[in-house]
Amino acid sequence: MRPDPVTAPPVLLAPAQLRSLEMRNRIWLAPMCQYMVEAEDGVPTDWHLVHLGARATGGFGLIVTEATAVSPEGRISPQDTGLWNDEQVEAWRRITRFCQAQGAPVAVQLAHAGRKASTWPALPRFSRRRGTVPEFASGWRTVGPTADPFPGLDAPDELDTAQIGRIIEDFVAAARRAEQAGFDAVELHFAHGYLVHEFLSPLVNTRTDEYGGDGPGRRRLALQIAAAVREQWPQDHPLIVRLSATDWIDGGWDIEQSVELARELEKVGVDALHVSTGGAVIADIAVGPEYQVGFARTLRDAVSMPVAAVGLITDPRGAQDVLERGDADFVAVGRAALREPGWPQRAAHELGMRDAALYPGAYQRGSW
Ligand SMILES: Cc1cc2nc3c(=O)[nH]c(=O)nc-3n(C[C@H](O)[C@H](O)[C@H](O)COP(=O)(O)O)c2cc1C
């Protein structure tokens, strides 16, 4: 039977709320680095306005920005966006205002790339470049839980506790700027082998002080950042955490440890989890359709906060099934949205729903 278009939207297209943030549907734009800050100053550009703005006019329920660094050294590449100064705040404000006017709230993904910072952008014109961008070519010295490098990259400097404290302050300062820039939500990037995941993973974090060792030691930085940001970030705005649920290697970070962390994050006021995997070490990852959804399910069963699933969710019916089965509360779409900014509009059509709210007035005559 076709769902009634007025009273019973398919769950994928049903509105949702996190704290006071209302989303028109449960489809998020996954965070995706564009490497398009050619001035290398962290200031988002016309590219970011058009890229994110097109997905806002395309009907997404929540736009998540690319990894946006809390400090210059926290960038994955020199061409990343940032949120450590007022010029960046102004540039982001233009983007949040535009997306919100199209009915799409915006979350900023706050990030520090740790020992995987200062790398060449993953763009065709840099395809011959490998490893760490050297200091003479606008790179910088990286930092990590220890001085051990990620394979193929330069060795980082081991962070001392005073430096760790400053990084926590950088996250808090960036969250304050996120409020000035008009963001609706903050997503903390604790995934993909960047700084916080480096501290979580026993394969990377071999420290012997309070930030290393056993589970509580390795989880300390994640919890301190989440708690400190939660305190600063407006109470009615949601705080989301993206984590890698597993390193895909025996003896590494795994789903059991992720469950422990998720429960603690919930206690410090995190509102939703965004469940990805991998990135801390080189591993064999069995990539295929919806390959990370099972991890979202396990975490959703273990906590009461909502969970977003991501990873090769490309088919609207498949996405609807993920939510209907209760595997997740939201789905995030990445690469499929690069080729199709109006993915949610087609999803609505394929699921038998006509929803004018997914289209700007000027595009109504082109509705599916
Ligand atoms: C070009 C590109 C850039 C990405 N940049 C980020 C990023 O900034 N932060 C992040 O957490 N994940 C990033 N990812 C991972 C995506 O958010 C997503 O988890 C992944 O692509 C799997 O989803 P998909 O199969 O729908 O693309 C990136 C992926 C791509 C393809």
Side-chain angles (χ1 to χ4, degrees), residues 1 13 35-36 39 72 113 204 236 268 270 278 280 300 305 319 328 365:
M1 197 179 76
L13 280 312
Y35 310 108
M36 289 299 279
V204 183
D236 58 338
V268 300
V270 170
R300 187 170 187 261
M305 64 181 142
R365 289 174 67 185

Side-chain angles (χ1 to χ4, degrees), residues 69 200 203 208 246 269:
L200 294 171
L203 298 174
T208 51
T246 178

Side-chain angles (χ1 to χ4, degrees), residues 39-301:
E40 302 183 3
D41 58 4
V43 180
T45 65
D46 287 354
W47 177 272
H48 300 89
L49 174 68
V50 172
H51 165 66
L52 299 174
R55 276 87 199 153
T57 60
F60 278 86
L62 179 69
I63 302 282
V64 186
T65 72
E66 68 186 70
T68 294
V70 299
S71 63
E73 319 73 61
R75 291 170 297 167
I76 298 166
S77 80
Q79 288 79 5
D80 284 17
T81 54
L83 197 42
W84 66 81
N85 67 34
D86 294 342
E87 194 186 352
Q88 294 156 354
V89 168
E90 288 310 310
W92 278 119
R93 203 201 309 267
R94 177 167 172 240
I95 295 170
T96 57
R97 207 181 279 141
F98 180 84
C99 293
Q100 288 155 355
Q102 313 312 319
V106 191
V108 62
Q109 189 185 52
L110 295 181
H112 191 301
R115 68 177 189 165
K116 285 170 65 175
S118 191
T119 57
W120 295 100
L123 293 180
R125 70 192 163 92
F126 293 103
S127 63
R128 293 221 190 104
R129 310 283 192 165
R130 290 273 181 280
T132 303
V133 181
E135 284 174 74
F136 65 78
S138 71
W140 56 91
R141 287 197 63 79
T142 60
V143 295
T146 72
D148 293 333
F150 184 84
L153 299 180
D154 288 0
D157 293 328
E158 178 175 325
L159 287 163
D160 63 28
T161 44
Q163 292 169 317
I164 291 173
R166 279 197 288 281
I167 288 174
I168 297 169
E169 284 166 18
D170 288 340
F171 271 91
V172 171
R176 245 184 251 125
R177 289 202 162 89
E179 185 186 0
Q180 294 164 8
F183 283 106
D184 301 278
V186 161
E187 175 173 289
L188 297 172
H189 194 357
F190 289 178
H192 300 168
Y194 298 114
L195 185 73
V196 176
H197 185 187
E198 288 159 16
F199 273 81
L200 294 171
S201 174
L203 298 174
V204 183
N205 181 354
T206 52
R207 294 172 73 100
T208 51
D209 68 353
E210 61 189 305
Y211 285 99
D214 54 2
R218 283 182 282 110
R219 297 196 296 273
R220 191 175 311 277
L221 177 61
L223 285 171
Q224 286 183 340
I225 291 174
V229 168
R230 181 67 276 177
E231 229 166 73
Q232 240 349 280
W233 185 233
Q235 281 308 305
D236 58 338
H237 285 19
L239 178 63
I240 303 165
V241 166
R242 190 175 235 217
L243 49 88
S244 282
T246 178
D247 284 339
W248 297 100
I249 283 198
D250 284 347
W253 179 253
D254 57 20
I255 184 68
E256 287 78 23
Q257 297 172 73
S258 297
V259 163
E260 278 179 275
L261 174 65
R263 289 188 172 133
E264 291 172 339
L265 288 170
E266 188 160 46
K267 282 199 201 115
V268 300
V270 170
D271 301 294
L273 287 180
H274 192 171
V275 182
S276 189
T277 67
V281 289
I282 308 268
D284 252 341
I285 305 182
V287 177
E290 301 176 6
Y291 68 108
Q292 297 175 144
V293 169
F295 296 103
R297 174 68 195 226
T298 305
L299 283 161
R300 187 170 187 261
D301 287 345

